[in-house]
Amino acid sequence: MQGQSDNNSLRRQQQRRILADAFLKMLPADAVIFREEELVPYECDGLSAYRQVPLIVLLPYDTGQVQAILRYCHTNKIPVVARGAGTGLSGGALPHEDGVLLSLARLNKILEVDQSNMRARVQPGVRNMAISDAARSQGLYYAPDPSSQIACSIGGNVAENAGGVHCLKYGLTVNNLLEVTLITIEGERITLGGGGLDSPGLDLLALMTGSEGMLGVVVEVLVKLLPIPTKAQVILATFDEVEAAGNAVAAIIANGIIPAGLELMDNLSLRAAEAFIHAGYPVEAAAILLCELDGSEEEVAVSVKFVCSILKQSGASEVRISKDDTERQRFWAGRKAAFPAVGRISPDYYCMDGTIPRKQLAMVLKKIAEMSQRYDLRCANVFHAGDGNLHPLILYDANIPGELEKAEKFGGEILELCVAVGGTITGEHGVGLEKINQMCAQFPDAELEIFHAVKAAFDPHNLLNPGKAIPTLSRCAEFGAMHVHAGQLRFPELERF
Amino acid sequence: MQGQSDNNSLRRQQQRRILADAFLKMLPADAVIFREEELVPYECDGLSAYRQVPLIVLLPYDTGQVQAILRYCHTNKIPVVARGAGTGLSGGALPHEDGVLLSLARLNKILEVDQSNMRARVQPGVRNMAISDAARSQGLYYAPDPSSQIACSIGGNVAENAGGVHCLKYGLTVNNLLEVTLITIEGERITLGGGGLDSPGLDLLALMTGSEGMLGVVVEVLVKLLPIPTKAQVILATFDEVEAAGNAVAAIIANGIIPAGLELMDNLSLRAAEAFIHAGYPVEAAAILLCELDGSEEEVAVSVKFVCSILKQSGASEVRISKDDTERQRFWAGRKAAFPAVGRISPDYYCMDGTIPRKQLAMVLKKIAEMSQRYDLRCANVFHAGDGNLHPLILYDANIPGELEKAEKFGGEILELCVAVGGTITGEHGVGLEKINQMCAQFPDAELEIFHAVKAAFDPHNLLNPGKAIPTLSRCAEFGAMHVHAGQLRFPELERF
């Protein structure tokens, strides 16, 4: 075994050298990283439980260099993993051990902010927040706002179809794109979409969005911009029962209100956030709802009044309205810092991301509470309630043997429950490597075969981010034997869904 | 030649007989139509300039029968064209001369209206309007409203990604779908989407929407329902110059207002509509804008006031607000009847459907007016101004030799102009057969190759609606020699776009 490991290491060193020589001929020296110690920072993305040093990291300066890299990889059948800012939470940018890690960090120019057509043309390495910063002086902004928006890149947002607290009203990344230019594995430049309402032919722009780097490498993005709302206010509603908060969410939506954001935090998460940020949350509450309304001064006044009355009818024990923008920001600060806040009360946590139909909210929260007891692990619930996107945070201690495995099992059970009630295994974080087994629970073989066929239409040799997002049928067969049947048996009472 | 034609006719008769015998074994007798005189009603859809009698028409009663039909066609390599209500305007449901026309008209059940999750599960043959009718008692409706909504089916809406006057605020069909079940050409049942915010894996639901029957046959659709707005009002604004109306549209959107509908009619079309419907339109106006605002009573009051002030600032000479729902309906009646109204003032008309960036509106209208003079054909402009979706109606007389050809050339030139200014050749009517040549102007070969590869992933033998929507590269080469280069030369001043 030792001899084999040495052989592998030697083989990798040789491969690395060959690649470095080849790429140094087509790229500037500082665009090719191949020394082991310099490769380590790229060994994982935001899902740090999985780590893999790539053969080589490339940091091209322009689209022509991206084309040259992909042509070489295509000719020589070398796997390529594209990476934006590396903030992804599902391991989508985890390097391939025998492949190139292609960072788009240097394609970071905002090419145009077009005020009259309300759009911006940007390179993939531009940070999400930088687009809104650049558009602000013209009264515009880019709506999707993942929690990582200060750091995450628009290219990564396209790859994962990122959402955020405002996606209930303004949509996910896919709803805010007009056009994407990508380089195919053959090195060809292709433009998808095109700025119109509906693009003729097949909707490849939507197909590309959320495809996790498996169809092509994004080198330019045309995004929609929206006028910055004149006014925004947040209502903070306190509930003595989580179920009542869930029902209030349904009541708001059923009354035809689409808030700019509608978030639920349970007691464990709001306590953690309050201790960390001092947002002014009521620490005795079973749950709080944060409901943001935006628009013109008068529209917001009308909607705030209406939503407050719905919240009270739904059993809110207290309703507070942000009195100015400072207070509004403070109400959100607790929510936006909920993940690090939970990090303070537990050595480790495992962030889940599933969706369920809104009406299942109360039932699913009850089942998660039961699982929490059964696994003897705490679980904080923070989520985009308006669109049924759960983010349970499972608290564990990686230093206690077996706790990580227990947390993963707990998480897997939550996702299987999401599927069983008619939801999905990911709301906005993507499948990546983390949820590839759960894809087998989500999709029958026939659907997975179509995924593979479509992937092959773009990338017949499976070189672009191989092993992510779409499980092979044999992987599912293996996983199915272990989990899925058991998973189905776990929720026999839900078979009617 | 006569002998060859007789041979063809004989061969078709034999093929028809073989198919009829085969299908009569798997379907009830009244589901198999093969007598020439009974086939004629299916020879075209809403684009009646193209006609083709199919070999056979099948009218299955359930999904199992659809599967049996497709399995047979797959095994025997027989082309299949699926058809909803046949109201499509681009020839997408034109039969194949050697193929099966598969009507989904009998899959017409509303399977469930789910009030608490605000969704409805329906079969593809259900009429668009019937969904809203069924949901009304629960305070809900289905938002996309193509002009043909009384007749068109939801399956056809999915195939063409249909829009309507309200799609500015509520989106196209693709934005209002949760899940589609389809039968593949191999006869397999596949479910795409799944009710969540974002479906894991590739976004095949969006890919399927608007794919014009080329990837599979839709047998079930889960649509989103929305609460019926408490209040809706329409503003009718009169302009003495078309350009001012165009600029008013941009000003409304730039102020962060998203009207439920925002439509522009020029003098020719509003005069025709007024003469037909007596909607109360100002017949001397160069153009009118119809702007609908919906929401709660108070929200609408606030927004109407705001939009009226924007319209006046933009140069509207008169602004009228619908005083009750009867007047609101009358204002819309003229717009909704604009096409038949134009039909009354001209023996024939050719309806175009292109999109342009909003800021090009005034310039494009000016160029269309110039073309109208050059071709010596009148052109009425009616369109979804808010999203830059033009519907120029070219007036001609098919009985005057050469006029149809001239109208088609005029139309082609309009679409090429749309592409040249950064728009697209179809906003909501689809490509079908009508615009297959313009697809060559819209997309370079590399993009078309990807379309074909994705199509082949679903339908490797090209049996589903062959010859529609995606031109072959050889077709484009041929068309390019005739038109595209000339088309590009036609707008040399636009090359900067």
Side-chain angles (χ1 to χ4, degrees), chain A residues 107-179:
Chain A
L107 276 73
N108 61 356
K109 285 175 209 63
I110 294 177
L111 303 172
E112 190 194 5
V113 175
D114 173 354
Q115 187 176 18
S116 60
N117 283 311
M118 302 202 295
R119 49 175 77 172
R121 188 173 291 280
V122 301
Q123 290 189 317
V126 170
R127 290 173 305 108
N128 172 298
M129 185 67 114
I131 304 175
S132 294
D133 289 346
R136 188 167 301 120
S137 65
Q138 303 184 22
L140 301 170
Y141 78 115
Y142 176 65
D145 58 342
S147 297
S148 58
Q149 71 179 135
I150 298 170
C152 66
S153 69
I154 188 73
N157 290 179
V158 172
E160 299 296 336
N161 192 16
V165 298
H166 286 86
C167 71
L168 174 61
K169 180 167 178 180
Y170 297 107
L172 297 164
T173 303
V174 70
N175 307 112
N176 290 277
L177 294 182
L178 291 164
E179 186 188 292

Side-chain angles (χ1 to χ4, degrees), chain A residues 61-99:
Chain A
Y61 282 90
D62 59 39
T63 300
Q65 293 177 359
V66 174
Q67 287 179 290
I69 292 165
L70 290 171
R71 272 193 211 110
Y72 179 88
C73 290
H74 180 242
T75 305
N76 296 284
K77 305 286 169 284
I78 296 161
V80 185
V81 177
R83 175 188 164 113
T87 55
L89 293 170
S90 58
L94 183 81
H96 190 285
E97 66 170 330
D98 296 319

Side-chain angles (χ1 to χ4, degrees), chain B residues 348-427:
Chain B
D348 299 283
Y349 68 85
Y350 184 33
C351 169
M352 305 309 299
D353 167 49
T355 72
I356 54 169
R358 269 189 300 270
K359 76 168 170 189
Q360 309 288 3
L361 216 57
M363 190 271 276
V364 167
L365 289 173
K366 205 172 132 232
K367 288 226 167 270
I368 291 178
E370 285 166 19
M371 290 180 205
S372 172
Q373 292 228 321
R374 180 151 42 83
Y375 283 102
D376 193 25
L377 290 175
R378 288 180 297 170
C379 180
N381 286 292
V382 183
F383 55 92
H384 308 317
D387 34 49
N389 185 189
L390 309 178
H391 288 316
L393 301 176
I394 300 171
L395 280 53
Y396 71 99
D397 183 347
N399 289 326
I400 300 175
E403 278 226 332
L404 168 62
E405 293 70 25
K406 213 162 64 165
E408 284 185 335
K409 223 173 147 195
F410 183 177
E413 195 170 337
I414 292 175
L415 294 183
E416 286 164 26
L417 175 62
C418 289
V419 174
V421 300
T424 65
I425 58 162
T426 170

